[in-house]
Amino acid sequence: MPRVPVKDFGSDTPVLSPLEPERLTQLPADAEPRAPMPPRDAWLEKYDFSLDGFSALGLPLPKTAEEEERIVSGFLRGLAKLFTRENNWAFLLPTALSTDYCMRCNTCNAACGVYEASGRQDVYRPNFRSELLRRIYRRYFSPQGKLLGKWTGAPELNWRVVYRLAELAYRCTLCRRCAGVCPVGVDNGLLCRELRKLFSMEMGIAPAALHKSGTVRHLATGAGTGMKPAAFLDNLEFIEEIIEEKTGKRIRIPVDKKGAEILLVHNSGEYLSWPENPAAFAIVFDAAGIDWTLSSASMGYEAVNYGLWYDDVQYARIAMAQVEAARRLGVKKIVVGECGHATKAIVTIADRLLSGDLRIPRESCLPLLEEIVAGGRVRLDPWRNDFPVTLHDPCNMVRLMGIVSPQRNILTRILPPGRFREMPSNGTENYCCGGGSGFAIMDAYNFPEWRNRVASRKKAQQVLTAFGDCLDPSVPKYYCAPCSNCKGAAREALMDCYRFRERYNILYGGLVELIANAMAELPGPFLSWETEF
Amino acid sequence: MSWFFTGPFLYAAALLFLAGTAYKIISISRMPRHLRWELYPLPRLGAAGSRYQQVDHGRSPREISRLAEIGVMAEEILLLKKLFANRRDLWFGSYLLHVGLYFSIAGFGLVLTEAVLVSAGLAAAPASGSLAARVLGEVVIVAGIGGSAAGLFGAAFLLARRLTDPGLRDMSDPVTFFNLAFLVVLFASGLLAWTADGPLEQVRTHMASLLRGRPGVVPSTSLALAMTLSGLFAAYLPFSRMFHFAAKYFFYHRILWDDEPMHGGTAIQRDFAGYLRYPLTWSGEHLQPRKAWSEQLSSRDDAHQG
Ligand code: SF4
Ligand code: SF4
């Protein structure tokens, strides 16, 4: 097994740690996708693929020594700023402690789905990128480092180190599973995010999907998808039609209702990719008599906040603008639909940024859905969901917010006995879907290949294990992922790459759709294995 | 020379340890509060779990079980539970190393306490042969020998693992090896000293002389060496990554278990209002150089240009 010591990270081998498909963990033979596509020659001439043969960032190869020098000096400048109060008060303490107190015990390694799925390739160890960060920081910014020089174990700093490190910051889903097992409390996920931040905030390096067509577009148009208010309203009309088709009843989705009890905010991708999800919310809320509204104001109908994954300023700009939209509407509280990162971004991470009249209560939709289901506010017939269901725990809502029981309490009430099966490693010990930290929407160059094969691999294994006794396609099965990004990853990896739908007849979707499907008052099933919405 | 290392040098080492510990703890405590970054489960929330599992979580009272939290801390400190659960192959060595440290520190603490009490006239001098002095003497010897042996075995085991396991070796920087080697030498010297002739009396006498401010000469070379190395270790500890024993408090209480929501008019809110006034000097094109955070955040129109 080729080894990559940290100090050799800047070596001039064309590809430092090529992903070796034969080392990936085993899946059942029929679940293995076709052979991976190598990067195109045209890309290789222009962009850096030298970490593992994949590129998430499309970093243009430097052409002159000055360009190389600029890359290195920009990185060092950013690294210094990462440890200053003025530039990084938002995460200085966790960054400094995680930098200083790792014991190099590698306990975190086995906890990482990426590292495990890759067949334990050195560069994907959770502490590998952290170790680079801390060794380089020590070497260049501490008195001992200046004395010890290469005895710090830091690689010779060159543009390759910087570019590879930037790419490596996008080989971690920020799931923080590793932090949960670290005996010290070191958080490699956090350090990875800090690296991303350094690259974005100092060097302008970030995946286009997160920055240019992510947060920048979000702030410019009001939604990460670029959906303008008029298009949003059109989508709602379409959803009302779906609802009428499914229920035989015309529901008027409340929009911009001043002073409503609840402002429900979805990931705007739902309207485009999974309209059945906002439709199911409308059906359930309407039947339960909830006083709710959507907002058609710019920033008011978009829950995502991609800034969370790579840039503090973009993050805070979006969070504050979203809450401001709710304030203008005078709602009593904000409830975030089925989107994990969006829930965490606005409920907990933004908590200390919001003051004065922006302190509007904010919560996840899951406890509310639990209250509706458990409180008998809709009539349910669990036998309408008479098929095996397994549940994915979105990291952001489960490990990072502790929301574990509501979704389970719902499932036990809306499924017949014995139909719900947990995945191995569930709850706060779950594995990421592979789409975390932006991966679900990052589709540049050959990055999706890496995401599907490596980052989502563990989830593929878990789903197959959960349905191990009924994989035969004659049995319809439901993979319940109450999060838009997790559904995005399911679509790309589990369905398109591993072809779970064709091979095993596994349908994926959210939780609220299952609730709607169990509603006794609906004339027929809400979910369908035959037709798409 | 020996007098210097077991006398003035030990004073300097103790001073460095205290000053270094205070400096580190104060500088960590003074770091700004950060944005929320907790990781569940939070032990003190007990079986009820996260408040975010409730509708209107802000309105429900927070039930906190300090006992559950202390229980988890005790398991971690006394048993190294996370390592046991997740890296069993290192646990035994690491456990012995930690037990070795706990025992050695306990032995030192007992001798120091005794010397303080004797010098304050609150206890009989060890030479009196009182029952208390004899029992304490036995306990110190057991702690000294047991601690050094456990520590030596643990540190040597971890060093050997680190040298032979490719994953551990590759992820270790030179300081990691240095620290383990230092611990091996330190515990070996301790074992040597405690198993030589009459170390207890010499330790007691020397401790008393140090407390009086008139350090004597330690007759035993092995004991003098162990004392010197212990001083060196104490002086180095706060500046090394082995200070994780103290940093862990902040890792857990200030980061991973900190789910304190912000309320209006509180210190948290005042602090954050202050941070937002800091000027930011990141150079990204989407930022406005040297403007305060609060201005960056209210500058959505500029950001729109992308
Ligand atoms: S991050 Fe924690 S678990 Fe991983 S090597 Fe460092 S101390 Fe060990
Ligand atoms: S945060 Fe998750 S993906 Fe990233 S290193 Fe840790 S375990 Fe691996």
Side-chain angles (χ1 to χ4, degrees):
Chain A
M1 185 188 299
R3 299 217 319 270
V4 184
V6 174
K7 65 178 173 30
D8 295 344
F9 195 66
S11 80
D12 55 8
T13 36
V15 179
L16 181 70
S17 179
L19 186 73
E20 297 168 45
E22 61 283 2
R23 277 180 63 187
L24 302 181
T25 46
Q26 291 293 302
L27 285 174
D30 67 338
E32 202 58 72
R34 61 183 160 63
M37 280 188 313
R40 295 185 200 145
D41 288 343
W43 292 343
L44 289 172
E45 281 162 23
K46 280 201 205 138
Y47 306 112
D48 182 52
F49 282 76
S50 74
L51 172 69
D52 53 3
F54 294 87
S55 172
L57 293 160
L59 294 170
L61 294 166
K63 294 194 188 69
T64 61
E66 289 74 47
E67 276 180 39
E68 291 180 8
E69 173 49 35
R70 257 203 307 278
I71 293 167
V72 172
S73 59
F75 176 74
L76 284 177
R77 248 189 354 255
L79 191 55
K81 290 177 190 174
L82 206 55
F83 291 86
T84 61
R85 179 179 268 264
E86 288 70 21
N87 286 302
N88 197 19
W89 53 269
F91 288 99
L92 186 60
L93 176 70
T95 306
L97 290 185
S98 284
T99 302
D100 286 347
Y101 293 108
C102 169
M103 299 308 289
R104 284 80 171 170
C105 65
N106 289 2
T107 305
C108 49
N109 292 193
C112 175
V114 169
Y115 173 62
E116 284 288 303
S118 76
R120 305 189 168 199
Q121 294 196 212
D122 285 337
V123 294
Y124 303 133
R125 290 178 194 277
N127 51 341
F128 192 94
R129 63 181 79 70
S130 315
E131 193 57 26
L132 279 159
L133 168 76
R134 61 173 74 92
R135 287 192 196 181
I136 298 171
Y137 184 69
R138 260 185 94 213
R139 175 159 180 182
Y140 290 91
F141 297 102
S142 76
Q144 315 93 289
K146 290 196 174 119
L147 217 70
L148 290 172
K150 75 176 168 58
W151 287 96
T152 51
E156 282 304 326
L157 197 53
N158 58 31
W159 70 272
R160 276 195 197 83
V161 170
V162 178
Y163 269 20
R164 285 174 181 161
L165 194 49
E167 279 292 340
L168 196 54
Y170 289 90
R171 300 294 186 277
C172 156
T173 64
L174 310 187
C175 75
R176 297 179 68 207
R177 197 170 190 274
C178 50
V181 303
C182 174
V184 179
V186 170
D187 191 336
N188 292 302
L190 179 272
L191 288 182
C192 179
R193 182 187 178 278
E194 294 303 290
L195 273 170
R196 292 180 176 196
K197 186 160 98 187
L198 179 172
F199 284 113
S200 171
M201 294 180 75
E202 184 62 25
M203 303 174 74
I205 292 175
L210 300 191
H211 187 64
K212 198 155 170 261
S213 38
T215 59
V216 172
R217 183 165 71 179
H218 188 165
L219 288 162
T221 62
T225 47
M227 185 195 288
K228 298 242 167 93
F232 167 70
L233 291 170
D234 279 352
N235 273 301
L236 288 192
E237 257 179 57
F238 167 64
I239 287 170
E240 284 173 349
E241 280 162 26
I242 296 180
I243 295 172
E244 192 169 8
E245 226 172 82
K246 290 279 177 185
T247 64
K249 192 172 144 194
R250 185 87 191 173
I251 291 178
R252 189 105 195 101
I253 295 178
V255 182
D256 298 330
K257 184 174 158 194
K258 289 252 175 207
E261 191 66 33
I262 287 170
L263 168 66
L264 178 67
V265 195
H266 293 294
N267 177 323
S268 76
E270 297 282 357
Y271 298 107
L272 304 174
S273 301
W274 304 284
E276 66 274 19
N277 181 276
F281 265 103
I283 294 169
V284 172
F285 279 15
D286 182 70
I290 302 284
D291 175 17
W292 71 293
T293 186
L294 297 177
S295 161
S296 73
S298 168
M299 307 301 291
Y301 54 89
E302 173 64 286
V304 307
N305 190 340
Y306 300 155
L308 180 67
W309 296 321
Y310 79 101
D311 191 299
D312 286 351
V313 169
Q314 292 294 82
Y315 160 73
R317 283 173 174 162
I318 289 173
M320 293 176 91
Q322 286 169 325
V323 179
E324 171 59 21
R327 187 197 64 77
R328 282 201 303 266
L329 204 52
V331 293
K332 308 271 185 320
K333 68 177 171 190
I334 301 170
V335 170
V336 187
E338 293 185 2
C339 183
H341 90 278
T343 310
K344 187 187 69 169
I346 206 156
V347 178
T348 60
I349 313 266
D351 190 55
R352 293 170 180 176
L353 284 173
L354 302 168
S355 56
D357 52 8
L358 290 184
R359 287 209 68 73
I360 300 169
R362 308 164 310 280
E363 59 192 54
S364 153
C365 64
L366 297 180
L368 176 63
L369 290 173
E370 182 193 19
E371 195 177 84
I372 292 171
V373 168
R377 292 171 75 174
V378 288
R379 238 170 8 97
L380 297 164
D381 174 7
W383 290 97
R384 289 183 169 221
N385 281 329
D386 191 13
F387 41 81
V389 174
T390 193
L391 174 71
H392 165 64
D393 285 303
C395 306
N396 283 295
M397 281 195 279
V398 179
R399 186 164 33 254
L400 311 191
M401 291 184 75
I403 305 176
V404 183
S405 59
Q407 56 274 49
R408 288 170 168 77
N409 292 341
I410 293 170
L411 284 173
T412 48
R413 285 185 160 84
I414 62 170
L415 301 178
R419 283 313 206 178
F420 171 49
R421 65 259 320 279
E422 289 277 11
M423 289 183 195
S425 299
N426 54 63
T428 55
E429 290 178 9
N430 76 318
Y431 283 98
C432 174
C433 61
S437 80
F439 287 5
I441 53 163
M442 284 163 52
D443 52 7
Y445 311 100
N446 58 351
F447 182 72
E449 286 268 328
W450 184 89
R451 174 196 60 215
N452 297 341
R453 279 163 194 285
V454 184
S456 291
R457 196 170 192 86
K458 198 82 191 178
K459 191 51 63 182
Q461 288 174 313
Q462 283 188 296
V463 173
L464 292 181
T465 310
F467 290 134
D469 60 339
C470 56
L471 279 176
D472 191 286
S474 64
V475 183
K477 297 164 279 286
Y478 192 84
Y479 166 57
C480 175
C483 167
S484 312
N485 277 297
C486 304
K487 283 191 295 192
R491 180 182 58 198
E492 302 300 320
L494 304 189
M495 303 301 147
D496 285 0
C497 177
Y498 297 106
R499 297 197 287 140
F500 277 10
R501 182 75 191 278
E502 289 144 73
R503 286 170 169 149
Y504 310 116
N505 200 10
I506 298 173
L507 191 69
Y508 76 98
L511 179 62
V512 71
E513 293 92 316
L514 276 179
I515 302 176
N517 201 48
M519 281 174 61
E521 67 193 60
L522 260 58
F526 182 78
L527 290 171
S528 164
W529 266 258
E530 283 74 43
T531 52
E532 297 229 338
F533 277 90
Chain B
M1 202 59 183
S2 160
W3 174 81
F4 174 79
F5 282 112
T6 55
F9 173 75
L10 287 187
Y11 288 127
L15 208 66
L16 259 173
F17 171 76
L18 293 174
T21 301
Y23 168 75
K24 281 285 174 183
I25 288 184
I26 291 170
S27 52
I28 295 174
S29 321
R30 283 199 177 154
M31 283 194 194
R33 296 176 204 266
H34 50 280
L35 296 180
R36 294 264 300 274
W37 200 249
E38 69 260 34
L39 194 69
Y40 290 81
L42 267 52
R44 69 191 149 106
L45 298 179
S50 163
R51 80 189 58 189
Y52 300 110
Q53 301 188 116
Q54 297 162 22
V55 171
D56 293 328
H57 56 80
R59 284 196 227 149
S60 45
R62 304 177 65 206
E63 285 188 19
I64 287 189
S65 162
R66 290 279 169 217
L67 207 64
E69 189 170 276
I70 290 168
V72 170
M73 285 162 63
E75 280 175 344
E76 208 37 51
I77 295 168
L78 299 176
L79 302 172
L80 311 185
K81 194 176 167 209
K82 281 199 175 174
L83 201 64
F84 183 77
N86 301 296
R87 188 82 216 229
R88 194 79 50 96
D89 63 321
L90 293 186
W91 177 80
F92 190 58
S94 182
Y95 190 67
L96 284 181
L97 169 61
H98 283 85
V99 165
L101 283 167
Y102 298 162
F103 272 39
S104 304
I105 293 166
F108 168 76
L110 285 175
V111 176
L112 177 66
T113 314
E114 182 190 45
V116 170
L117 291 178
V118 170
S119 72
L122 296 170
S128 68
S130 70
L131 180 68
R134 269 183 295 147
V135 171
L136 188 121
E138 294 301 322
V139 172
V140 169
I141 290 199
V142 169
I145 296 180
S148 303
L152 174 61
F153 187 83
F157 174 87
L158 290 179
L159 184 58
R161 287 283 291 143
R162 207 165 272 281
L163 288 166
T164 50
D165 177 312
L168 285 171
R169 194 171 60 223
D170 285 352
M171 293 307 296
S172 307
D173 60 348
V175 174
T176 316
F177 292 112
F178 171 80
N179 289 348
L180 279 172
F182 190 173
L183 285 165
V184 168
V185 174
L186 176 69
F187 284 118
S189 75
L191 195 59
L192 216 64
W194 281 112
T195 47
D197 275 347
L200 182 64
E201 290 67 36
Q202 291 185 39
V203 169
R204 278 171 152 162
T205 313
H206 194 64
M207 183 66 82
S209 77
L210 283 170
L211 274 185
R212 279 197 308 272
R214 284 194 300 278
V217 174
V218 177
S220 154
T221 317
S222 61
L223 189 60
L225 180 69
M227 284 182 175
T228 308
L229 286 172
S230 304
L232 211 56
F233 182 72
Y236 172 57
L237 190 62
F239 305 98
S240 79
R241 64 190 64 152
M242 290 181 281
F243 197 63
H244 68 258
F245 69 89
K248 261 175 112 158
Y249 174 84
F250 296 93
F251 270 114
Y252 285 91
H253 291 85
R254 286 270 306 267
I255 306 172
L256 299 174
W257 295 348
D258 174 15
D259 66 337
E260 186 66 35
M262 190 174 82
H263 295 296
T266 56
I268 304 186
Q269 189 176 33
R270 279 193 299 277
D271 287 348
F272 275 85
Y275 306 151
L276 288 168
R277 287 194 290 272
Y278 287 149
L280 163 163
T281 64
W282 293 106
S283 325
E285 278 178 19
H286 58 296
L287 308 169
Q288 299 164 346
R290 310 220 159 265
K291 282 204 175 169
W293 280 80
S294 52
E295 292 172 87
Q296 310 275 348
L297 304 190
S298 58
S299 62
R300 285 200 297 124
D301 291 337
D302 302 310
H304 291 178
Q305 314 313 318

